[in-house]
């Protein structure tokens, strides 16, 4: 069917619809509340039969989907099919690393591939839309949702946004293995005050436009079918009702004509925010801003008829939303095939293939934080291994905060992974302590195992529910008695490798100072244990980097590399300079930090042309040499700085990345290109422009001044 055919069909439907049916298309309900049948409460069925339901969330599985879709198509007056949305955030049945971990791979091809696989599996279970990618820039490890994000950097988040949208949606939304992507949560949610979930956001307009909004523009440019506005506010206006951003910027300026789906109950919550007196006002505010679908609030079904009567909204406002919802259904091919009967069938080969990608994604996401005395890798299998700590043998925890359709029992625990890698070794697992709680009885037996072991693997961290939505922590360290236990283990003087599992950077400075080897394992998904074993044994040389600055202490937050210069840079000898008097300014680990089993050296940075004009592309080249003994992959990062502009610019901004694989002793020249508009800035009035003058180019592995090579070019008018 052509676009024109769709448009004609939509207009015909619209003309035939009664008010209740129109509003019904804007209503999304969940299948998992007050369950009375197989995942489907009877009253939602009743709503559906009356034509008062347009889409559902939290329902998957072909038999159930078919049963519900059949009612929509055969038992409603107009037979309009539903679309089915779900949080397929980091994989569906095959679970990939959490986004914060996967971001550390700095690898758009991988990001696209894992989203593609997630889409195939989700589509095979009848899903047609995902509430992903989550592309909130996140700079506060107290905020649990940092786990779902790509971390602190805007440019990196933009690249992840594009890759994920492409991966989920494929080339054609109507393809049976494609699902619609929802870019969420627009925008600024990551800046909730003090990292407290759902709290107030205090941002400058510049920060909003320069740091938080660009990933959404990138997602729109990549063709994202849907957008979810954030629960939170911007200068007192909740995004769910923000006309200036949703309607004037996203729809009018960017040309986004897809569907806006509210967050869960967010329209009704406009009352709690104190900007709507009742449900009718709340519904009117959201509708006027351009929110098409009301997730779980019944604010539209109950509030819109009243709002219409009061003259708060016009029928044309409602029609515009209905058109967009129907257009999405048409684009998904649902009018032609409501059951998407040709959706991919999951064969044994397909599962194996997906598992292999999950293993690769997981090992590419593990960051080697510390490796003193080349403690890692452990090349030959130790005779006796003590796998200690509460997270060593607990497969379901590998799922991470959003599990999709993942099943805990299908995850590979660290214990299972190490046992598979070292079949001849004796591996004794003991928790020692729990993640939470005060029980000490397990400590002594665990220490006895450590004493007898040739290698101790110590699996510490937080439980998966401690990050993700509503997982804010004011003290993001190791919970429970884990510090005490870890100290006791390290005191024994045995060789120890620490596996740290978390949805955020955990602040345990003492551990990083004392432990010989620490791996940031985040939550790695289905193949966690195998991936960790690949890294521990050296079968995989770790290449991941931190997509977020890792603070020493909570008091340093917010801390991120792309900060503005101060008039008084830190000077340890001068009191009146920008610093703390009780701790360093420096983080524990910089953005981009991540060790390898080999050593890479950078030299000979050059950039051309030296005089850059608006239409030019800058070619940046650097030589990278592998000076160590292992083959490995290096991620080369390119940062820029505009040292003198009409507004103060950050000391570093990431603008490029490249990968190079080098054998020991090998040297190669790596080339990155940068279109001139990478240097565009928002001027004092927030208008984009290129300002002539010197530009500094930095290349290296991480956002640490001493790790970067520098050159400069000149932008000429
Ligand atoms: C979250 C969204 C999610 C939705 C549906 C909300 O609470 O903020 O990110 O997509 O629930 O599960």
């Amino acid at each position: 069917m052509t676009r024109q055919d769709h448009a004609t069909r939509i207009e015909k439907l619209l003309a035939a619809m009664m008010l209740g049916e129109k509003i019904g298309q804007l209503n999304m309900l969940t299948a998992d509340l007050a369950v009375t049948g197989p995942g489907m409460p009877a009253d939602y069925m009743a709503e559906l039969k009356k034509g008062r339901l347009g889409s559902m969330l939290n329902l998957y599985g072909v038999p159930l989907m078919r049963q519900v879709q059949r009612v929509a198509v055969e038992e409603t007056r107009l037979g309009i099919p539903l679309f089915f949305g779900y949080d397929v955030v980091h994989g569906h049945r095959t679970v990939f690393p959490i986004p914060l971990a996967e971001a550390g791979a700095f690898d758009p091809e991988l990001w696209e591939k894992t989203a593609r696989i997630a889409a195939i599996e989700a589509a095979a279970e009848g899903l047609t839309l995902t509430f992903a990618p989550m592309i909130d820039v996140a700079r506060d490890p107290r905020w649990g949702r940092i786990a779902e994000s790509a971390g602190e950097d805007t440019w990196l988040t933009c690249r992840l946004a594009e890759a994920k949208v492409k991966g989920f949606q494929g080339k054609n939304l109507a393809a049976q293995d494609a699902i619609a992507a929802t870019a969420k949560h627009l925008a600024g949610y990551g800046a909730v005050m003090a990292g407290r979930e759902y709290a107030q956001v205090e941002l400058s307009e510049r920060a909003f436009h320069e740091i938080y909004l660009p990933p959404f523009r990138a997602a729109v440019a990549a063709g994202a079918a849907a957008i979810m506005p954030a629960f939170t506010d911007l200068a007192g206006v909740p995004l769910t009702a923000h006309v200036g951003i949703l309607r004037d910027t996203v729809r009018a300026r960017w040309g986004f004509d897809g569907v806006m789906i509210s967050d869960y109950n967010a329209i009704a919550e406009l009352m709690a925010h104190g900007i709507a007196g009742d449900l009718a006002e709340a519904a009117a505010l959201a509708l006027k801003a351009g929110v098409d679908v009301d997730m779980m609030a019944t604010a539209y079904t109950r509030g819109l008829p009243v709002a219409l009567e009061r003259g708060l909204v016009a029928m044309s406002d409602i029609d515009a939303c209905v058109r967009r919802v129907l257009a999405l259904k048409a684009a998904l091919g649902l009018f032609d095939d409501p059951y998407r009967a040709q959706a991919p069938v999951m064969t044994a080969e397909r599962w194996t293939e997906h598992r292999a990608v999950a293993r690769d994604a997981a090992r590419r996401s593990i960051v080697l934080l510390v490796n003193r005395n080349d403690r890692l890798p452990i090349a030959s299998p130790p005779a006796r291994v003590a796998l200690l700590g509460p997270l060593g043998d607990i497969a379901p925890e590998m799922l991470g905060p959003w599990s999709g359709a993942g099943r805990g029992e299908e995850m590979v625990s660290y214990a299972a992974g190490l046992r598979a890698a070292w079949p001849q070794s004796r591996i004794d697992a003991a928790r020692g302590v729990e993640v939470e709680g005060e029980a000490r009885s397990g400590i002594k037996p665990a220490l006895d195992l450590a004493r007898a072991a040739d290698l101790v693997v110590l699996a510490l961290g937080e439980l998966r529910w401690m990050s993700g939505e509503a997982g804010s922590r004011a003290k993001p360290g190791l919970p429970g008695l884990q510090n005490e236990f870890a100290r006791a283990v390290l005191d024994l003087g045995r060789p120890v490798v620490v596996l740290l599992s978390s949805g955020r950077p955990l602040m345990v400075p003492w551990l990083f100072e004392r432990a010989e080897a620490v791996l940031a394992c985040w939550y790695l998904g289905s193949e966690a244990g195998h991936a960790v074993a690949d890294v521990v044994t050296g079968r995989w040389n770790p290449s991941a980097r931190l997509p977020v600055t890792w603070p020493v202490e909570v008091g340093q937050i917010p801390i991120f590399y792309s900060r503005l210069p101060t008039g008084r840079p830190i000077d340890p000898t001068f009191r009146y300079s920008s610093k703390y008097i009780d701790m360093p300014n420096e983080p524990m680990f910089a953005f981009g930090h991540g060790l390898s089993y080999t050593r890479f050296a950078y030299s000979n940075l050059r950039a051309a042309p030296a005089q850059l004009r608006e239409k030019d592309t800058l070619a940046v080249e650097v030589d990278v040499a592998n000076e160590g003994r292992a083959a490995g992959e290096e991620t080369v990062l390119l940062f820029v700085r505009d040292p003198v502009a009409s507004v103060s610019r950050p000391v570093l901004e990431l603008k490029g990345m490249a990968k190079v694989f080098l054998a020991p002793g090998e040297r190669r020249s790596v080339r990155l290109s940068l279109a001139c508009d990478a240097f565009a800035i928002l001027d004092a009035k927030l208008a984009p422009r290129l300002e002539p003058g010197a530009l500094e180019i930095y290349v290296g592995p991480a956002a640490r001044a001493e790790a970067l090579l520098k050159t400069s070019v000149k932008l000429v008018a």
Side-chain angles (χ1 to χ4, degrees):
M1 260 206 182
T2 64
R3 252 184 116 84
Q4 190 49 45
D5 296 337
H6 283 319
T8 314
R9 166 185 265 159
I10 289 168
E11 290 313 313
K12 252 172 96 179
L13 270 176
L14 202 58
M17 285 168 118
M18 295 185 290
L19 177 64
E21 289 164 331
K22 287 183 181 175
I23 297 175
Q25 284 305 307
L26 314 183
N27 188 29
M28 177 187 275
L29 296 174
T30 183
D32 68 1
L33 275 186
V35 178
T36 55
M40 186 65 193
D43 51 345
Y44 295 118
M45 273 302 209
E47 290 289 287
L48 171 60
K49 284 182 183 160
K50 285 186 222 142
R52 289 179 12 179
L53 191 60
S55 52
M56 300 214 54
L57 75 154
N58 299 341
L59 181 150
Y60 63 86
V62 169
L64 196 54
M65 181 277 289
R66 290 187 83 95
Q67 177 193 333
V68 179
Q69 191 71 303
R70 196 196 57 74
V71 174
V73 176
E74 293 177 17
E75 294 186 29
T76 66
R77 199 175 72 89
L78 296 170
I80 302 173
L82 299 161
F83 71 81
F84 298 93
Y86 192 56
D87 290 286
V88 182
V89 174
H90 52 104
H92 189 58
R93 179 80 173 266
T94 304
V95 181
F96 298 108
I98 57 169
L100 185 64
E102 207 192 16
F106 285 80
D107 188 345
E109 249 174 65
L110 178 73
W111 300 332
E112 185 175 335
K113 202 192 284 179
T114 55
R116 186 85 289 277
I117 289 174
I120 291 171
E121 293 185 6
E125 294 213 285
L127 287 165
T128 31
L129 177 137
T130 172
F131 306 117
M134 192 282 211
I135 47 175
D136 293 314
V137 170
R139 298 181 161 185
D140 191 331
R142 290 172 297 188
W143 189 47
R145 301 199 86 165
I146 195 172
E148 295 173 54
S149 80
E152 77 181 46
D153 189 67
T154 302
W155 184 88
L156 193 70
T157 306
C158 288
R159 302 294 80 79
L160 182 118
E162 293 158 356
K164 291 291 177 196
V165 168
K166 281 192 214 151
F168 288 133
Q169 299 192 165
K171 288 199 175 59
N172 170 14
L173 261 191
Q176 312 284 0
D177 64 357
I179 56 175
T182 309
K184 72 184 189 185
H185 311 82
L186 187 137
Y189 186 6
V192 280
M193 205 173 260
R196 200 176 322 115
E197 186 62 296
Y198 315 127
Q200 170 183 354
V201 166
E202 200 52 59
L203 274 182
S204 70
E205 227 189 318
R206 169 172 300 278
F208 185 79
H209 285 274
E210 205 166 89
I211 298 164
Y212 293 91
L213 211 45
F216 291 91
R217 188 156 200 183
V220 168
I227 285 178
M228 184 187 290
F231 281 126
T232 43
D233 76 297
L234 180 65
V237 181
L239 268 305
T240 304
H242 208 302
V243 174
I245 300 300
L246 302 190
R247 202 186 63 193
D248 302 346
T249 303
V250 177
R251 288 211 190 277
R253 272 188 39 221
W254 299 357
F256 175 70
D257 60 0
V259 168
M260 292 217 189
I261 304 176
S262 85
D263 206 342
Y264 203 104
N265 201 41
I267 300 181
E269 287 171 21
L270 294 176
M271 295 187 289
H273 274 282
I275 65 160
D278 60 20
L279 214 50
E281 283 181 18
L285 284 171
L287 192 86
K288 284 284 195 191
V291 177
D292 304 305
V293 174
D294 172 11
M295 183 197 284
M296 281 311 292
T298 60
Y300 277 178
T301 47
R302 290 186 292 151
L304 275 185
V306 185
L308 198 63
E309 250 172 53
R310 285 191 208 156
L312 298 175
V313 296
M315 189 63 91
S316 56
D317 299 324
I318 297 177
D319 286 351
C321 295
V322 177
R323 263 190 203 100
R324 287 189 289 258
V325 171
L326 296 180
L328 173 62
K329 292 181 176 182
L332 284 164
L334 291 171
F335 287 114
D336 305 318
D337 177 7
Y339 305 102
R340 309 237 287 182
Q342 301 311 314
V345 176
M346 295 301 300
T347 56
E349 294 79 60
R350 238 190 231 273
W351 287 121
T352 312
E353 196 190 303
H354 293 184
R355 277 279 179 163
V357 176
R359 183 171 183 157
D360 193 44
R363 58 195 189 183
R364 286 175 181 280
S365 302
I366 298 169
V367 184
L368 178 59
L369 293 173
V370 175
N371 196 21
R372 291 194 181 90
N373 313 319
D374 292 332
R375 166 54 56 214
L376 283 171
I378 312 287
S380 40
R384 274 191 81 162
V385 179
L387 174 58
L388 308 181
L391 287 155
D393 195 6
I394 181 159
E397 283 301 313
M398 307 293 111
L399 284 167
W402 283 114
S403 40
R407 299 180 184 175
E409 71 277 12
E410 291 178 0
M411 304 297 109
V412 179
S413 69
Y414 302 141
L418 289 172
R419 287 193 174 114
W422 289 327
Q424 313 297 335
S425 306
R426 170 172 168 184
I427 302 181
D428 299 303
R431 300 157 83 91
V433 295
E434 296 302 319
V435 172
E436 295 181 290
E438 302 294 313
R440 284 195 163 75
S441 56
I443 296 181
K444 191 178 168 305
L447 294 181
D448 289 342
L449 283 178
R451 274 188 204 97
D454 305 296
L455 175 72
V456 179
V457 178
L458 187 54
L460 307 169
E462 44 179 24
L463 294 168
R464 67 192 194 98
W465 66 266
M466 294 176 172
S467 65
E469 186 172 357
S472 292
R473 293 184 63 204
K475 293 187 275 183
L478 283 172
L481 295 179
Q482 292 183 86
N483 284 305
E484 179 184 323
F485 176 58
R487 278 199 175 92
V489 171
L490 290 169
D491 283 347
L492 299 177
R494 308 300 303 146
V496 177
V497 171
V498 178
L499 309 178
L500 204 55
S501 306
S502 61
R504 51 162 62 86
L506 286 182
M507 275 137 262
V508 261
W510 76 267
L511 182 70
F512 298 122
E513 250 122 61
R514 274 204 61 190
E516 275 185 313
V518 183
L519 292 169
C521 299
W522 316 106
Y523 298 107
L524 292 168
S526 298
E527 288 288 314
H530 290 144
V532 162
D534 286 344
V535 168
V536 168
T537 56
R539 266 179 238 160
W540 178 258
N541 185 353
S543 56
R545 302 287 187 66
L546 292 176
V548 64
T549 304
W550 195 300
V552 179
E553 293 278 1
V554 174
Q556 292 180 317
I557 299 171
I559 181 168
F560 48 89
Y561 82 88
S562 195
R563 61 182 188 279
L564 295 186
T566 152
R568 296 191 175 184
I570 181 168
D571 174 353
T573 64
F574 181 50
R575 180 179 175 99
Y576 301 97
S577 68
S578 177
K579 62 181 187 311
Y580 299 108
I581 55 171
D582 56 359
M583 72 174 305
N585 285 5
E586 289 308 306
M588 191 78 236
F589 305 111
F591 174 90
H593 173 78
L595 305 171
S596 160
Y597 296 151
T598 191
R599 245 186 5 264
F600 295 101
Y602 288 69
S603 61
N604 194 19
L605 174 64
R606 57 253 188 229
Q611 307 266 320
L612 193 65
R613 289 198 164 67
E614 201 180 327
K615 296 272 173 283
D616 289 347
T617 295
L618 186 72
V620 178
E621 279 185 274
V622 68
D623 296 345
V624 184
N626 182 345
E627 295 188 340
R629 286 198 298 266
E633 184 178 84
E634 174 70 346
T635 304
V636 178
L637 301 181
L638 166 67
F639 299 91
V640 303
R641 179 180 184 188
D642 188 342
V644 183
S646 58
V647 289
S648 179
R649 299 301 305 158
V651 293
L652 286 176
E653 287 179 273
L654 184 69
K655 293 288 179 188
M657 57 187 171
K659 296 263 184 192
V660 58
F661 186 88
L662 296 172
E666 194 181 350
R667 169 190 305 268
R668 273 207 221 163
S669 154
V670 176
R671 193 184 162 100
L672 298 109
S673 48
L674 214 51
C676 192
D677 61 11
F679 298 102
I681 64 166
L682 296 182
D683 66 13
K685 293 190 175 133
L686 299 182
R689 69 163 147 148
L690 278 170
E691 293 187 355
L695 294 167
E696 295 170 359
I697 315 290
Y698 295 85
V699 173
R704 259 185 312 114
E706 65 282 11
L708 295 169
L709 297 179
K710 176 184 170 188
T711 185
S712 40
V713 295
K714 203 164 170 190
L715 186 70
V716 290

